[in-house]
């Protein structure tokens, strides 16, 4: 199994746990406070991971383009998390997570158009099935 697949599976496991645990934590507080606590923990762990496992001299390789793209990515992540936390606080986690995972279809479209990643039959069928599953699950009864 390629290492990236293993990392992806581990990521999937933790992502699946995240929403349910967050919903439990949001019971008596606002979504904004809950997200602030979560983000503080994320920042601390990511910074620790960088310091322990990375070469700190790598910081010298940063340039304006790289920082710009990463900053915009941070902005879009923040907006996603803000709305996600508000949604899971008032909605069913299973429904919110499902709609959120519809981002896979957008990711496929953007990776093909902007990153010029190859379009394969496997990608088209898989993306189509994700979209079809999303529509079936969110379609009103």
């Amino acid at each position: 199994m390629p290492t990236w697949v293993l990392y992806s599976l581990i990521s999937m496991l933790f992502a699946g746990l995240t929403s349910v645990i967050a919903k439990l934590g949001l019971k008596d507080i606002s979504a904004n406070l809950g997200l602030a606590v979560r983000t503080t923990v994320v920042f601390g762990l990511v910074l620790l991971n960088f310091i322990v496992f990375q070469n700190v001299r790598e910081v010298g390789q940063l340039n304006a383009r790289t920082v710009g793209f990463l900053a915009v990515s941070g902005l879009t992540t923040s907006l996603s998390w803000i709305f996600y936390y508000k949604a899971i606080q008032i909605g069913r986690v299973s429904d919110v997570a499902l709609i959120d995972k519809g981002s896979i279809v957008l990711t496929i479209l953007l990776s093909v158009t902007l990153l010029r990643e190859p379009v394969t039959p496997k990608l088209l069928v898989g993306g189509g099935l994700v979209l079809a599953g999303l529509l079936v699950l969110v379609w009103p009864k």
Side-chain angles (χ1 to χ4, degrees):
M1 172 184 310
T3 304
W4 70 267
V5 173
L6 178 62
Y7 289 164
S8 298
L9 291 170
I10 294 168
S11 173
M12 178 188 70
L13 170 70
F14 286 117
L17 293 169
T18 297
S19 299
V20 173
I21 294 168
K23 177 82 173 187
L24 294 170
L26 292 173
K27 184 177 180 188
D28 298 319
I29 61 170
S30 72
N32 290 329
L33 177 57
L35 182 56
V37 171
R38 175 197 180 194
T39 304
T40 302
V41 172
V42 169
F43 176 76
L45 287 175
V46 170
L47 184 61
L48 181 64
N49 179 65
F50 171 74
I51 291 169
V52 171
F53 294 107
Q54 303 295 322
N55 184 347
V56 177
R57 291 183 300 245
E58 187 177 330
V59 172
Q61 296 175 352
L62 289 174
N63 58 49
R65 182 177 188 271
T66 300
V67 171
F69 277 122
L70 293 174
V72 171
S73 175
L75 175 66
T76 58
T77 297
S78 298
L79 292 170
S80 173
W81 287 1
I82 288 167
F83 287 102
Y84 188 83
Y85 263 59
K86 287 183 181 299
I88 65 170
Q89 185 173 44
I90 60 176
R92 291 178 16 160
V93 173
S94 56
D95 292 334
V96 173
L98 170 70
I99 294 168
D100 179 67
K101 298 310 175 219
S103 64
I104 293 167
V105 176
L106 180 59
T107 300
I108 291 170
L109 292 171
L110 292 173
S111 67
V112 167
T113 57
L114 298 178
L115 302 177
R116 304 282 189 237
E117 292 184 356
V119 178
T120 63
K122 182 178 174 179
L123 182 68
L124 290 174
V125 170
L129 289 170
V130 169
L131 181 58
L134 176 63
L135 292 174
V136 166
L137 292 169
V138 299
W139 198 267
K141 294 180 182 179

